[in-house]
Structures are given as structure tokens and as C-alpha cells.
Amino acid sequence: MSGTGRPQPSCRTYPVLSPLPAVGGNEGVGEVLEVGHRVTTLKPGDWVIPANAGLGTWRTQGVFPEEMLLKVPSDIPVLCAATLSVNPCTAFRLLADFESLVPGDSVIQNAANSGVGQAVIQIAKASGIKTINVVRDRPDLPKLMERLMTLGADHIITEEMLRKPEMKDIFKSIPKPRLALNCVGGKSTTEMLRHLQPKGTMVTYGGMAKQPVMVPVSAFIFRDVRLRGFWMTQWRKDHAQDQESVAAMMDALCQLIRRGQLTAPACTEVPLQDYRAALEASMKPFVSSKQILLL
Ligand SMILES: NC(=O)c1ccc[n+]([C@@H]2O[C@H](COP(=O)([O-])OP(=O)(O)OC[C@H]3O[C@@H](n4cnc5c(N)ncnc54)[C@H](OP(=O)(O)O)[C@@H]3O)[C@@H](O)[C@H]2O)c1
């Protein structure tokens, strides 16, 4: 089994925490070794990922009820399977559930180089939707821009550029976005919101800057913007009895992976014994690489 190494945010803000002692890890892929005689959906050799958050994937073995696991095809790359259950699903829902986007429409997002952001770029590209991608400035910005362009990003700008008049040039070739995806909060979000179309929607799914979302009154009164939030864990709870929607999402994502249109995020593979280094790297700025624990 391999699991991604991002620690959960602090218990003060994060509403899901397993009782201690607990095994860490929300994401990962494992192989079924044995099944009980009443298990119908899984068989030995199947690849499985967690059906919900909090499974505890930083382990080499485990025994689980079948409904806690989701079968995934074993013909996709193992790194794609290990990182499938949270970020690509979140990106898929963000693009599908808030605005009815059609090819040619545009979406703006901050933290565009995050795991979710990379999936947004690729899923949008496959659907003909243009992306405006905001990242923090850094010494190796051209390298990061090249990487995101390779994934299919249409425009990449820094947070500082959001405030510049040159932003108008972007909207000569694509429409203003109807959807903004906010992973940051604070100033970055306020600036991003300025470019949203009237009656457009901004969805907050992360708060990396640990700052509240501040919205000018004029954005509500004169542009009637809509502010929403999203949490994948809640979506899964709400759709526990709607396996058709879950299967449709997983099928769509696996098809994109098979066609090479959705790749695993940039990753660093770390043997389990070096987990401290992985945890430290996961908390540093500008790393742009998921820490994957190899178990
Ligand atoms: N609501 C949901 O269902 C859901 C689902 C998945 C993830 N999330 C949340 O989304 C966030 C990103 O997750 P991920 O797995 O995609 O993360 P990730 O791959 O580790 O990326 C983190 C991103 O945040 C940026 N960042 C960090 N500190 C920042 C700051 N102070 N200001 C602006 N940008 C900052 C990083 O940019 P640099 O490269 O510049 O450091 C990077 O782009 C997390 O908060 C996670 O909890 C929410």
C-alpha cells in the first residue's frame, strides 16, 4: 500500500479526527489479499482505495468492511490510483457541481500548482474549458509555468499580477470566468474575485493562507457574486446511497487517466522509514511535489 503524506490540518479547524490511537493517512492504494465468504464486490488481486476519509492508509495491512473500500482498475498507474480518492475527485466536483460550464468558458483558480489545482487544469482542458491559474511568485517561476502549461494551463499569473491592468489582455481572448476556485483566502481571494463575471460563483475549498475570505460589498451589490464552499468528505457522506454518482465520477476520472489526460501530481516517493523528511517537505512552501510514502 502507498499513501500520500500530507498531515491533516489542525484539530481546531478540521472536523474529522479519528479517535486516538489512530493510523494516519487519508489517501492511498492497496491490493486485496483475502476476502470473507460474504464479500461480493471485491476479490483477491483487486486494487482498492478508501471510500471515505479517515481510513488510515499509513499501514502495510488492514482488515476492513467492503463498503469502506472502493475498487479501482489495476490498469492505471499506481501513483494515479494512490492519489485518486481526494484531489481529482474534488477537482471533478468543483468543475461539475456549481456552474454549468460549456467549452470555451473559463475558470480562475489560486494555488493552481496544488494537487487539486493540477487536476482542475487537466480536467478543464479535457472539457474545452479555459483556465486562468494563479500561483505565488518564486525563484523558479518559469519552470513551474512550463510544467503547468504542459498539463494544459491556458494562462498562468502570479498573485501580484491579479492587481495589474494587464489582466485585461487575458480577457481579449477568453471570457471572464463564471467560476473561481479558492484554496487560499485573504488578499489572493479578494483580488481573484474582482475578475469573476457578474452572477459568477466562487467556491472555497481550502484556506492555505489561514486568512478569512474578504469580499467587497460592491461585489455583492453590483455584481451579485455567489460564494459557496465545498468539502469532498461531506459530498461522499451525502452520496453514500447514490453509488451511481460515485461510479460515474470514478469512471470519468479513470477514462481521463487511461487517455493520458489526467496524470498523477508531481510526486516525491519516500520510503516509510523516512516519513519525518516527507512530513517536513510537505509543510515547506514552493515544494510543488506530493510526498508519497512507499509502504
Ligand atoms: N475541501 C475539500 O474537499 C478539499 C479536498 C482536497 C484538498 N483540500 C484542501 O486544499 C488545499 C490544497 O490541497 P492539496 O492537496 O491540493 O495541496 P498541495 O498539493 O500540498 O498544495 C498546497 C498549495 O497551497 C499553496 N500555498 C501554501 N501556502 C500558501 C499561502 N500562504 N498562500 C498561497 N498559497 C499557498 C502552495 O503553493 P506554493 O507552491 O506557492 O507553496 C500549493 O499550491 C489544502 O488546504 C487541502 O486541505 C480540500
Side-chain angles (χ1 to χ4, degrees):
M1 176 171 273
S2 64
T4 51
R6 174 164 36 79
Q8 290 201 344
S10 81
C11 54
R12 194 165 54 80
T13 50
Y14 210 74
V16 170
L17 273 185
S18 306
L20 296 173
V23 178
N26 268 339
E27 297 164 77
V29 62
E31 185 180 338
V32 175
L33 297 178
E34 281 180 51
V35 295
H37 63 278
R38 276 187 293 195
V39 171
T40 55
T41 57
L42 298 173
K43 59 178 190 321
D46 284 346
W47 282 14
V48 284
I49 62 174
N52 293 299
L55 186 77
T57 53
W58 298 349
R59 62 169 91 216
T60 51
Q61 291 188 356
V63 179
F64 303 104
E66 63 180 324
E67 59 273 13
M68 289 177 72
L69 302 170
L70 216 52
K71 183 175 164 176
V72 289
S74 53
D75 63 347
I76 60 174
V78 70
L79 284 178
C80 287
T83 53
L84 184 58
S85 65
V86 180
N87 288 346
C89 293
T90 301
F92 183 90
R93 300 260 61 100
L94 290 171
L95 289 169
D97 293 350
F98 295 91
E99 287 283 345
S100 307
L101 300 171
V102 296
D105 279 346
S106 78
V107 171
I108 190 166
Q109 61 164 346
N110 54 21
N113 60 324
S114 67
V116 176
Q118 292 175 56
V120 164
I121 291 171
Q122 295 177 88
I123 297 169
K125 175 78 180 177
S127 319
I129 295 161
K130 310 286 177 194
T131 55
I132 304 161
N133 299 282
V134 186
V135 295
R136 292 197 288 184
D137 199 4
R138 65 197 69 221
D140 62 347
L141 183 65
K143 204 168 131 203
L144 176 64
M145 289 176 73
E146 194 186 317
R147 190 150 66 76
L148 298 184
M149 286 288 190
T150 309
L151 292 181
D154 295 286
H155 297 275
I156 302 162
I157 54 175
T158 60
E159 296 198 333
E160 291 70 30
M161 277 177 66
L162 272 175
R163 260 162 264 153
K164 301 245 164 88
E166 293 84 65
M167 279 297 289
K168 284 203 187 85
D169 295 342
I170 291 181
F171 302 120
K172 284 179 187 156
S173 57
I174 61 170
K176 284 207 161 200
R178 289 180 32 207
L179 182 66
L181 305 176
N182 171 40
C183 175
V184 177
K187 234 179 182 179
S188 161
T189 306
T190 312
E191 294 297 338
M192 187 168 73
L193 196 66
R194 280 162 19 115
H195 303 290
L196 195 61
Q197 269 190 30
K199 297 193 194 301
T201 305
M202 184 175 79
V203 189
T204 293
Y205 70 93
M208 296 304 299
K210 300 191 175 75
Q211 299 287 324
V213 169
M214 286 168 292
V215 181
V217 167
S218 59
F220 282 120
I221 300 176
F222 302 120
R223 290 194 292 123
D224 190 13
V225 296
R226 283 110 215 255
L227 300 193
R228 302 283 305 274
F230 179 76
W231 190 30
M232 194 65 220
T233 302
Q234 190 61 46
W235 187 91
R236 288 197 189 282
K237 277 187 199 155
D238 294 344
H239 292 77
Q241 306 307 321
D242 177 12
Q243 285 311 303
E244 250 177 54
S245 297
V246 176
M249 172 175 70
M250 299 309 290
D251 281 354
L253 291 171
C254 289
Q255 288 293 349
L256 289 176
I257 292 170
R258 286 197 193 95
R259 291 202 291 259
Q261 292 173 305
L262 179 61
T263 53
C267 292
T268 307
E269 296 178 41
V270 184
L272 180 62
Q273 63 268 26
D274 297 335
Y275 72 95
R276 280 178 196 281
L279 287 176
E280 275 164 28
S282 75
M283 285 182 274
K284 282 194 191 133
F286 312 135
V287 171
S288 299
S289 183
K290 280 268 170 226
Q291 307 298 306
I292 303 278
L293 295 177
L294 301 178
L295 310 179

